[in-house]
Amino acid sequence: MAVKKKFPYRAAFVGCNGGCRVTADSGCEYGCTGCGACVQACPFGAISINEIGVAQVKEETCIACGKCTRVCPKQLIRIHDCANYIVVACSNQEKGAAARKVCEVSCIGCGICEKTCTAGAIKVKDHCAVIDESICLSCGMCAVKCPRHAILDLRGIYTKRY
């Protein structure tokens, strides 16, 4: 059954790229454990657990109903504007050195993205970059400059998609 999406198009996004390869008892306390609660909650089959054990959303199937956001035990899933392809794929709130120890691609809050963003759309909060989608230009400069590759271009133009 085809579902008509409302404009502006929105979809769920998982704020973890799986660089920590977290399991239920080790790794990043902010990472996706692949518990599958979101997969079961999604009435459209738009979420699956990828090969590295992290929930991944098929944007073209997701209608942004928000059911997955409510069941995620770590609140890693959020609804984002599909017109904005630039996302922070990390939710780690540890300081730089601690974040580096648990994840190979965690945001360390270095602020390079914040300095690079000409629109002022990125702020580092709790040692992690946050993008204000309402003012982001999707230029991708933050993704290109991110030394840890925690900022992604979902189109795969500026960065490879996880």
Side-chain angles (χ1 to χ4, degrees), residues 12-84:
F13 175 74
V14 181
C16 177
N17 57 24
C20 58
R21 309 298 187 264
V22 71
T23 61
D25 59 346
S26 68
C28 174
E29 71 177 270
Y30 303 98
C32 177
T33 61
C35 69
C38 54
V39 175
Q40 293 173 350
C42 181
F44 300 98
I47 304 177
S48 60
I49 304 298
N50 67 19
E51 65 277 353
I52 58 173
V54 174
Q56 190 168 350
V57 179
K58 289 177 263 179
E59 196 171 274
E60 49 289 338
T61 310
C62 177
I63 66 158
C65 68
K67 289 183 180 183
C68 57
T69 64
R70 292 188 289 276
V71 299
C72 179
K74 294 192 173 189
Q75 285 93 43
L76 292 175
I77 306 175
R78 62 179 176 80
I79 303 298
H80 86 103
D81 184 352
C82 294
N84 187 350

Side-chain angles (χ1 to χ4, degrees), residues 10 20 24 38 74 95 97-98 100 102 104 108 129 134 138 141 147 161:
R10 301 183 71 182
C20 58
C38 54
K74 294 192 173 189
K95 288 187 177 180
R100 253 190 223 104
V102 295
E104 61 192 43
I108 56 172
S134 67
S138 292
M141 290 312 300
R161 191 173 173 163

Side-chain angles (χ1 to χ4, degrees), residues 92-111:
N92 194 333
Q93 297 175 9
E94 299 287 333
K95 288 187 177 180
R100 253 190 223 104
K101 286 181 185 174
V102 295
C103 182
E104 61 192 43
V105 287
S106 65
C107 179
I108 56 172
C110 66

